[in-house]
Amino acid sequence: NGFEWSKLGFPLGAITYDSTSKTYSQQYERGFIVGNDSTGYYILSDGIYSYWKDNTTKLGLPIANLSSNLSTGISWVEFKNGYIVGRDSTGYWESMGGIRDIWARNGFEWGRYGFPLGTMTYDEATGTYSQAYEIYILYTRLHKHAGAFINRTACRINVVH
């Protein structure tokens, strides 16, 4: 991939093994290579790698390389159970399940909801996951037939999709 002239640059340390995620990783000047022999090895940015290290159980292992949109500065990586999306200026967040489905159906960050602004949270009392976006808060219930719905931040009106 171009060695030190590639998008990663020079390695900054030795290859390490994480027994919890069962992955090998090596840090480079501009990112990481992470994986194992059975799932493959993938490129992650520094921000995505940091978020993933704190959420490996939830997201699983990477299954695709780093992708980026140069016009928006947004980067993402697909993992077994979802995605990590973000940019250095706004942070990195998981994107998964019913909430990701409704965000995708409505044009991702260019659509009516904008970009995610925080992590997905779970409310045991209502049995819902929620995630704040630039324009709306998206919700999904645990029950597989409930689907996802939105709550408009300004007036808190639920709209069922």
Side-chain angles (χ1 to χ4, degrees), residues 29-106:
E29 290 175 310
R30 294 176 292 280
F32 288 80
I33 295 178
V34 175
N36 60 42
D37 291 341
S38 63
T39 62
Y41 293 86
Y42 302 97
I43 297 171
L44 308 181
S45 68
D46 291 339
I48 288 175
Y49 178 82
S50 295
Y51 192 88
W52 173 71
K53 286 301 290 178
D54 292 335
N55 294 280
T56 54
T57 303
K58 182 190 322 185
L59 289 160
L61 297 177
I63 60 172
N65 278 317
L66 176 69
S67 297
S68 299
N69 180 323
L70 297 177
S71 67
T72 62
I74 293 170
S75 298
W76 63 93
V77 172
E78 184 177 7
F79 293 81
K80 182 180 178 195
N81 301 319
Y83 291 75
I84 296 175
V85 299
R87 56 183 162 231
D88 290 339
S89 63
T90 59
Y92 293 88
W93 315 107
E94 74 269 22
S95 178
M96 53 200 295
I99 289 176
R100 181 175 177 79
D101 293 343
I102 197 169
W103 185 47
R105 283 195 314 266
N106 287 278

Side-chain angles (χ1 to χ4, degrees), residues 97-145:
I99 289 176
R100 181 175 177 79
D101 293 343
I102 197 169
W103 185 47
R105 283 195 314 266
N106 287 278
F108 293 107
E109 66 270 17
W110 303 281
R112 60 195 263 189
Y113 305 129
F115 196 73
L117 297 178
T119 190
M120 197 179 307
T121 59
Y122 178 67
D123 182 337
E124 285 189 42
T126 61
T128 58
Y129 285 95
S130 64
Q131 188 169 22
Y133 284 74
E134 290 173 314
I135 301 166
Y136 292 90
I137 299 173
L138 301 183
Y139 293 83
T140 187
R141 288 198 181 10
L142 279 181
H143 188 275
K144 67 180 181 180
H145 299 296

